[in-house]
Amino acid sequence: MTSAVPLLSRWCRATLAARKKLTHKAEPAFCKGIWWQCVRSLAALSNGPETGDMRGYLTSNYKEVKRSINELVPSVSSSLLNPDAIFANNEMSLEDIEVYGFDYDYTLAFYSKDLHTLIFNTARDLLINEHRYPKEIRSYEYDPNFAIRGLHYDVHKALLMKIDSFHYIQLGTVYRGLNVVPDSEVIEMYEGSHVPLEQMSDFYGKSSEGNTLKQFMDIFSLPEMTLLSCVNEYFLKNNIDYEPVHLYKDVKEAIRDVHVKGILYRAVEADIERYICYGERTQAVLSKLANLGKKMFLITNSPSSFVNKGMNFIVGKDWRDLFDVVIVQADKPNFFNDKRRPFRKVAERGILLWDKIHHLEKGQTYKQGNLFEFLKLTGWRGSKVLYFGDHIYSDLADLTLKHGWRTGAIIPELKSEIEIMNTSHYITTVTWLQGLTGLLERMQVYRDAESQMVLQDWIKERQEMRDLARKMFNRQFGSIFRTDHNPTYFLRRLSRFADIYMESLSCLLNYDLHHTFYPKRTPLQHELPVCSEQQNTGTFRIPLGKEMAQIK
């Protein structure tokens, strides 16, 4: 009996030859569909061994699948994702958008890593000076490569971890202090790796009554996670008995004071060129929208003087002329839900006026208020409004769920992750990981001792490939978008609350304002990975660099 794998290998090679005859437009969609079907099929078909030599039979299949998949890698590498593209979770046309709204921090203004170091150092010193923590923790410095956004923190167990969209902890990403917790210990503590719904963070990612986990969704939370881990590490290394809940609350309060007491704002205003970057990109986006007659507004939690100084630097002294409405210290997400707080006009030097607000005037700045009054005064309702922000909960969730606005998430980490995914090292690793998984799926039917020994070696190799792929993004926690195979909890919320997402607002410069964003038709588990409209038109592929240049 002849093995089916060599026959399938020849089919895949013929498939690649057919690929060369496709139009340039249809080619990448072909790769995304036929290629994955080929990878899965290569590892799924076999007629069984001709003799009783199971080890030889399995090894032969392993080698053939690996060789065939290696032949497919160049075709995948020829269709790379553009990190400057905009990605769609929900179909949306810019032609329907009449009003554009923006958050300020990490949406209009992008900050250098020096700002996170400032937050870490200031909060650390507040712990020492105001909360009487040991002065020895001053020896810990901020590590920008330690934490990633979207992690959960168990307040009672003092554990930082990554959780997937099904509430499962990704083993190997649970940290106590600065050290990983063994998988066996994690499983014992949680009686498995699943976190029940009642223990998860609340709707806005907070650790409230009954919730033991806090999710860190804000980019500003990166130094907070690192500081928590460093102080935990100090106590553990020195065998100091402490209450994790108190530590969490003290660090949270110290981080809050960095903002509330104005320490961060004064530091940035005093050395704005050091802390703010990407100014020219933001200015180009705003000018483009203004020149095309679009309405624009700004709703931010930051104070007036801080925003004014930053926008003067980014856009120029006439920046208010670009916006129809400017609202500061809005206190999102309460701004979207609390109907009781009226707007106050902010005069020169931050003086608050007592006038009743009947109109939101262009060129003026307003403080607090609420969305219901905003909608009443502007009439900007529903899907003609597109609001951009970096915080999936505080900026986007209520707007899409309760008010029907379209939403755009700014994810600065996206560009670096795509650049990693475009490397030959990552493509080769993940391609073989998929092939090996398919091979395991098919060959698990052989239950004899000799076969099981081979399969255990494959399982071990598969885990090594998973660990290798994860560490390409972040050595501790991996990608913010994916666990080993499932989406992260972060991506689950991003997919629900954001119609589109991108690395920065500058990605809008790559599209005209008649462009429609179409989400890729991702095959469900029970569907074939090939979609006819993708093969024939290529409309679902992400624009590559060459096409982007033509759009510009």
Side-chain angles (χ1 to χ4, degrees), residues 158 166 331 355:
F166 294 95
D331 191 28
D355 310 54

Side-chain angles (χ1 to χ4, degrees), residues 538-549:
T539 54
F540 286 86
R541 60 177 285 213
I542 302 302
L544 303 180
K546 184 177 181 180
E547 291 176 334
M548 288 295 202

Side-chain angles (χ1 to χ4, degrees), residues 16 19 27 31 35 71-79:
L16 291 177
R19 166 185 175 272
E27 178 184 347
C31 292
W35 173 73
E71 292 180 358
L72 293 173
V73 169
S75 70
V76 186
S77 300
S78 67
S79 301

Side-chain angles (χ1 to χ4, degrees), residues 374-423:
F374 178 87
L375 297 176
K376 178 182 176 181
L377 294 174
T378 63
W380 295 339
R381 299 177 182 272
S383 57
K384 69 179 182 181
V385 183
L386 172 59
Y387 184 79
F388 292 96
D390 66 288
H391 198 302
I392 296 170
Y393 295 149
S394 296
D395 288 327
L396 309 181
D398 289 310
L399 292 177
T400 188
L401 292 177
K402 300 177 182 179
H403 302 285
W405 285 8
R406 307 313 292 263
T407 52
I410 304 300
I411 313 292
E413 302 93 335
L414 184 63
K415 185 169 187 175
S416 62
E417 292 222 0
I418 290 176
E419 288 172 347
I420 291 169
M421 287 161 44
N422 283 343
T423 63

Side-chain angles (χ1 to χ4, degrees), residues 475-526:
R475 291 193 62 82
Q476 291 75 232
F477 302 101
S479 167
I480 71 170
F481 302 107
R482 181 178 290 281
T483 59
D484 287 327
H485 52 277
N486 289 332
T488 58
Y489 195 84
F490 175 89
L491 182 60
R492 174 185 174 184
R493 309 306 270 177
L494 172 66
S495 301
R496 178 64 185 89
F497 299 141
D499 291 295
I500 57 176
Y501 63 101
M502 65 210 76
E503 179 258 342
S504 73
L505 281 177
S506 63
C507 298
L508 279 172
L509 297 173
N510 299 322
Y511 302 85
D512 63 43
L513 296 191
H514 301 283
H515 189 89
T516 298
F517 297 102
Y518 297 96
K520 290 182 290 183
R521 183 181 174 90
T522 304
L524 303 176
Q525 294 298 312
H526 63 276

Side-chain angles (χ1 to χ4, degrees), residues 108-112 272-273 275-280 282 313-314:
L108 294 177
F110 278 79
Y111 299 101
S112 68
I272 204 160
E273 293 185 3
Y275 292 110
I276 292 185
C277 46
Y278 302 159
E280 69 283 355
T282 299
F313 176 75
I314 294 169

